Amino acid sequence: MNTFQSTLESFQKREDALKAREDPFADGIAWVEGEIMPLSQARIPLADQGFLHGDLTYDVPAVWDGRIFRLDDHLDRLEASCHKLRLFLPKPKEEIKQLVLDLISKSGFRDAYVELIVTRGIHSIRTLDMSPAKVEPNLYLFVTPYVWVVPMALHSHGAAAIVTRTVRRIPPGAVDPTVKNLQWGDFNRAILETQDRGAQAPFLTDGDSNLTEGSGFNIFIVKGGVLHTARRGVLEGITRRTVLEIAEDEKIPCHVEDVPMGLVYSADEIFICTTAGGLMPITGLDGQPVADGKVGPITSKFWDAYWALHYDPKLTIDIMYG
Amino acid sequence: MNTFQSTLESFQKREDALKAREDPFADGIAWVEGEIMPLSQARIPLADQGFLHGDLTYDVPAVWDGRIFRLDDHLDRLEASCHKLRLFLPKPKEEIKQLVLDLISKSGFRDAYVELIVTRGIHSIRTLDMSPAKVEPNLYLFVTPYVWVVPMALHSHGAAAIVTRTVRRIPPGAVDPTVKNLQWGDFNRAILETQDRGAQAPFLTDGDSNLTEGSGFNIFIVKGGVLHTARRGVLEGITRRTVLEIAEDEKIPCHVEDVPMGLVYSADEIFICTTAGGLMPITGLDGQPVADGKVGPITSKFWDAYWALHYDPKLTIDIMYG
């Protein structure tokens, strides 16, 4: 994290500019049924099955310093998630892409959290007929200022994680975690336990003593110069993919397989990753330091590489602000 | 089901009267933030955590022939569910009760499905501070015509169930099923498989070869004059409770414990139960008849007793229609 100080300072400047804004979109902007409005005024039908039965998928790209990162990858995953649910994108992908770019432009946010939600829409409660011909999916979009799962100021020293004792991850045989979903019952319990135990990030097991993921983030364990991350029972995160690509570039081996908890507790380094905050060093686990309790060299290297990629024209699109 | 014909005929008459209605509330009525509107026009904030992270609980009492059944029990369970989520009812229970009774009265439905939803309301995405002092839960209510999980016309012959092959039930260590929730990812998959396999009701296992429940219903197995229903990994349904009470009155033993799948496939009778349709005989399982494929004597006895209780003044409240 040689670049930590400069990254933090330039972000801070942009955030200060944001704080000065008093316009209606300053806290967030939404797109619902063709209309654009402040997020706080956006409403969806009560009868949408996305609300009434959690029947939806979503995706979250982010904007960093005026560029959106890997938007096409997020849109491809959203489409793939729809197909796994026997849903489909309610509009052509290119049109959704343009809607997203326009909404960000209108938001004025130089750093933004962008959420796209596709629900199964409105059909009568408990109908058994979910055939595609009978379905009219709904699309909801919103953009808020950039979200940090762990506050950026903590990144230089690392955050504290816990392995949750009161809750396990929903298994993939029940709900497929590769279809990004908002059924956060397990994560919500995990967040409460994290708060109780004075930490910042919950790690959930698969109920069989393997590590899965946390509340909206993937987890990487570094041991003996090798990266480990869970293969199964987790979201195939775009940030996770970026980490795997950096590992390939850097010729650092990465094992994507079961991660037994024994490995987690004997890690040299741990970091978590998500679009909402990028890579975050974890330097405490269950109240104990991870190794020497300092941010490790591999975490630092990936942290720097991750943010550098946010200026790579191959992975980013410049937002044209109005 | 000695009373089947008379029950069906009187319901049919009331339903025919409903079909003649053309007023704005004919398809459903909702209460949102103190306002009453047709369900089709009801909208909730996009930023409600009930939508954005499934962070809610709900309950469903029903109205039958102008009387609401076990409303106090449903309200008590809703309150208990809130507490398990570290939430609380946003209004005093008596006030919610009156809102519900008034909304049903205004709906004009003599037979109704009533849904009460309590969400964690609006707070910033990914905040770790979920302490009660920071939370303002939201309440949403709606009333629709009575919902049948299995169409009533099928009750006399029984419906076809499947044991799902593509999905298992979310385990209680991940999401507590005694807190009624709308995270239907597993049930939605199960409903799709049920449709594919030409049946009406999915049965889900716990992933360890025990029976749990279906998409919004509990399951009872009858074997050698004894009832069996799952203890763990299921909603403690009010209709299930009613069945247990009928069993006690009738001195029919009922084992509430693990229900191994071997027992399910060797059942004498099977029925499912839920507020949305009451008791429903299951006479086919995975394409084979259950025993002789006819509605059995114990199912019939419970079916009759269940509907008779809907006229019991101790368990019902007369709706005062305007």
Side-chain angles (χ1 to χ4, degrees):
Chain A
M1 298 163 67
N2 287 321
T3 60
F4 176 75
Q5 206 56 38
S6 58
T7 306
L8 175 63
E9 275 167 18
S10 64
F11 175 77
Q12 199 60 58
K13 257 186 224 159
R14 301 192 301 271
E15 197 177 48
D16 290 345
L18 181 62
K19 276 182 188 149
R21 280 178 53 178
E22 289 181 353
D23 62 279
F25 298 148
D27 295 321
I29 186 169
W31 180 98
V32 177
E33 291 163 10
E35 283 187 46
I36 288 173
M37 64 213 77
L39 175 57
S40 62
Q41 288 171 26
R43 296 175 88 86
I44 66 161
L46 169 56
D48 192 308
Q49 289 295 317
F51 179 58
L52 286 188
H53 288 116
D55 202 4
L56 62 78
T57 184
Y58 78 115
D59 223 293
V60 177
V63 177
W64 184 257
D65 202 2
R67 295 165 188 83
I68 188 161
F69 189 62
R70 305 195 82 152
L71 176 58
D72 288 326
D73 293 324
H74 285 280
L75 289 170
D76 287 347
R77 182 174 65 183
L78 182 66
E79 185 171 42
S81 295
C82 284
H83 289 164
K84 289 182 192 174
L85 294 178
R86 298 202 211 170
L87 265 175
F88 47 90
L89 292 178
K91 292 176 179 293
K93 200 158 39 174
E94 279 303 311
E95 198 175 317
I96 295 176
K97 183 174 176 176
Q98 201 53 53
L99 281 173
V100 166
L101 293 172
D102 290 348
L103 196 62
I104 298 166
S105 167
K106 198 153 284 185
S107 80
F109 301 140
R110 306 278 311 170
D111 305 277
Y113 173 99
V114 181
E115 188 158 329
L116 301 88
I117 306 175
V118 178
T119 74
R120 207 176 299 271
I122 295 168
H123 59 78
S124 45
I125 294 166
R126 287 177 184 281
T127 175
L128 282 178
D129 193 348
M130 298 221 268
S131 49
K134 297 286 178 71
V135 170
E136 287 184 54
N138 277 336
L139 173 70
Y140 305 110
L141 308 174
F142 67 89
V143 181
T144 72
Y146 193 83
V147 170
W148 297 94
V149 164
V150 170
M152 191 181 181
L154 281 182
H155 286 217
S156 59
H157 296 287
I162 56 164
V163 176
T164 54
R165 298 164 177 165
T166 59
V167 63
R168 54 163 286 181
R169 183 75 178 105
I170 296 172
V175 181
D176 180 355
T178 71
V179 180
K180 202 166 163 69
N181 68 73
L182 293 169
Q183 299 170 53
W184 272 42
D186 52 351
F187 289 153
N188 291 334
R189 286 166 80 173
I191 290 171
L192 285 169
E193 183 182 336
T194 305
Q195 183 181 319
D196 291 342
R197 293 172 61 191
Q200 288 93 40
F203 290 3
L204 283 77
T205 78
D206 65 355
D208 197 30
S209 301
N210 297 300
L211 185 67
T212 63
E213 60 189 339
S215 45
F217 53 82
N218 289 114
I219 306 167
F220 281 83
I221 306 298
V222 183
K223 177 76 178 177
V226 176
L227 290 178
H228 300 263
T229 199
R231 176 186 64 82
R232 185 172 179 275
V234 300
L235 178 73
E236 292 170 355
I238 305 287
T239 313
R240 174 180 179 265
R241 188 192 304 174
T242 306
V243 169
L244 297 177
E245 289 168 3
I246 296 170
E248 209 173 323
D249 284 350
E250 298 282 346
K251 310 221 183 315
I252 294 173
C254 187
H255 295 177
V256 181
E257 53 189 35
D258 284 350
V259 178
M261 293 310 295
L263 183 63
V264 179
Y265 284 103
S266 63
D268 297 333
E269 303 178 33
I270 301 177
F271 61 87
I272 64 178
C273 66
T274 164
T275 293
L279 265 68
M280 291 151 290
I282 298 294
T283 49
L285 182 65
D286 284 354
Q288 300 294 320
V290 174
D292 65 357
K294 299 204 173 100
V295 177
I298 291 185
T299 302
S300 289
K301 185 193 285 270
F302 278 77
W303 199 97
D304 289 344
Y306 177 75
W307 289 112
L309 287 173
H310 284 67
Y311 296 89
D312 182 339
K314 287 197 296 294
L315 294 178
T316 56
I317 300 170
D318 270 5
I319 303 296
M320 300 297 151
Y321 294 95
Chain B
M1 300 164 65
N2 287 321
T3 59
F4 176 75
Q5 207 54 40
S6 58
T7 306
L8 176 63
E9 277 168 16
S10 63
F11 176 76
Q12 200 59 60
K13 257 187 224 159
R14 301 192 301 271
E15 198 178 48
D16 290 345
L18 180 62
K19 277 182 189 148
R21 280 177 53 177
E22 290 179 355
D23 61 279
F25 298 147
D27 295 321
I29 187 170
W31 180 98
V32 177
E33 291 163 9
E35 282 187 47
I36 288 172
M37 64 213 78
L39 175 58
S40 62
Q41 288 171 28
R43 295 174 90 85
I44 66 161
L46 170 56
D48 192 307
Q49 289 295 316
F51 179 57
L52 286 188
H53 288 116
D55 202 2
L56 62 78
T57 183
Y58 79 115
D59 223 292
V60 177
V63 177
W64 184 258
D65 202 2
R67 295 165 189 83
I68 187 161
F69 189 61
R70 305 195 83 152
L71 176 57
D72 288 325
D73 293 325
H74 283 281
L75 289 169
D76 287 347
R77 183 174 63 182
L78 182 65
E79 185 171 42
S81 294
C82 284
H83 288 165
K84 288 181 192 175
L85 294 178
R86 299 203 209 168
L87 264 177
F88 47 90
L89 293 177
K91 291 176 179 293
K93 200 157 40 174
E94 277 306 310
E95 199 176 315
I96 295 176
K97 183 174 176 175
Q98 200 53 53
L99 281 174
V100 167
L101 293 172
D102 290 349
L103 196 63
I104 298 165
S105 167
K106 197 154 286 185
S107 81
F109 301 141
R110 306 278 310 170
D111 305 276
Y113 173 99
V114 181
E115 188 159 328
L116 301 88
I117 305 175
V118 178
T119 75
R120 208 176 297 271
I122 296 167
H123 57 78
S124 45
I125 294 165
R126 288 179 185 279
T127 175
L128 282 178
D129 193 348
M130 297 222 267
S131 48
K134 297 285 179 70
V135 170
E136 287 184 53
N138 276 337
L139 173 70
Y140 305 110
L141 308 175
F142 68 88
V143 181
T144 72
Y146 193 84
V147 170
W148 297 94
V149 164
V150 171
M152 192 181 182
L154 282 181
H155 286 217
S156 60
H157 291 84
I162 57 162
V163 176
T164 54
R165 298 164 177 166
T166 59
V167 62
R168 52 162 289 180
R169 183 75 178 107
I170 296 172
V175 182
D176 180 355
T178 71
V179 180
K180 203 168 162 69
N181 67 74
L182 293 169
Q183 297 170 55
W184 272 44
D186 51 351
F187 289 153
N188 291 334
R189 285 166 81 174
I191 289 171
L192 285 168
E193 183 182 336
T194 305
Q195 183 183 320
D196 291 342
R197 293 173 61 190
Q200 288 92 40
F203 290 2
L204 283 78
T205 77
D206 65 355
D208 197 31
S209 301
N210 297 300
L211 185 67
T212 63
E213 60 189 339
S215 47
F217 53 82
N218 290 113
I219 306 166
F220 280 83
I221 306 297
V222 183
K223 178 75 178 177
V226 176
L227 291 178
H228 300 263
T229 200
R231 175 186 65 82
R232 186 172 179 275
V234 299
L235 178 73
E236 293 170 354
I238 305 285
T239 313
R240 173 180 180 267
R241 189 192 303 174
T242 305
V243 170
L244 297 177
E245 289 169 2
I246 296 170
E248 209 174 321
D249 283 352
E250 298 283 345
K251 309 219 183 319
I252 295 174
C254 186
H255 295 176
V256 181
E257 53 190 34
D258 284 350
V259 178
M261 292 310 295
L263 183 63
V264 179
Y265 284 103
S266 64
D268 297 333
E269 303 178 33
I270 301 177
F271 61 87
I272 63 178
C273 67
T274 164
T275 293
L279 265 68
M280 290 152 290
I282 297 295
T283 50
L285 182 65
D286 284 353
Q288 299 295 320
V290 174
D292 65 358
K294 299 205 173 102
V295 177
I298 291 185
T299 302
S300 289
K301 185 194 285 271
F302 278 76
W303 200 97
D304 289 344
Y306 177 75
W307 288 112
L309 287 173
H310 284 67
Y311 296 89
D312 182 339
K314 287 196 297 293
L315 294 178
T316 57
I317 300 170
D318 271 6
I319 302 295
M320 299 297 151
Y321 293 95

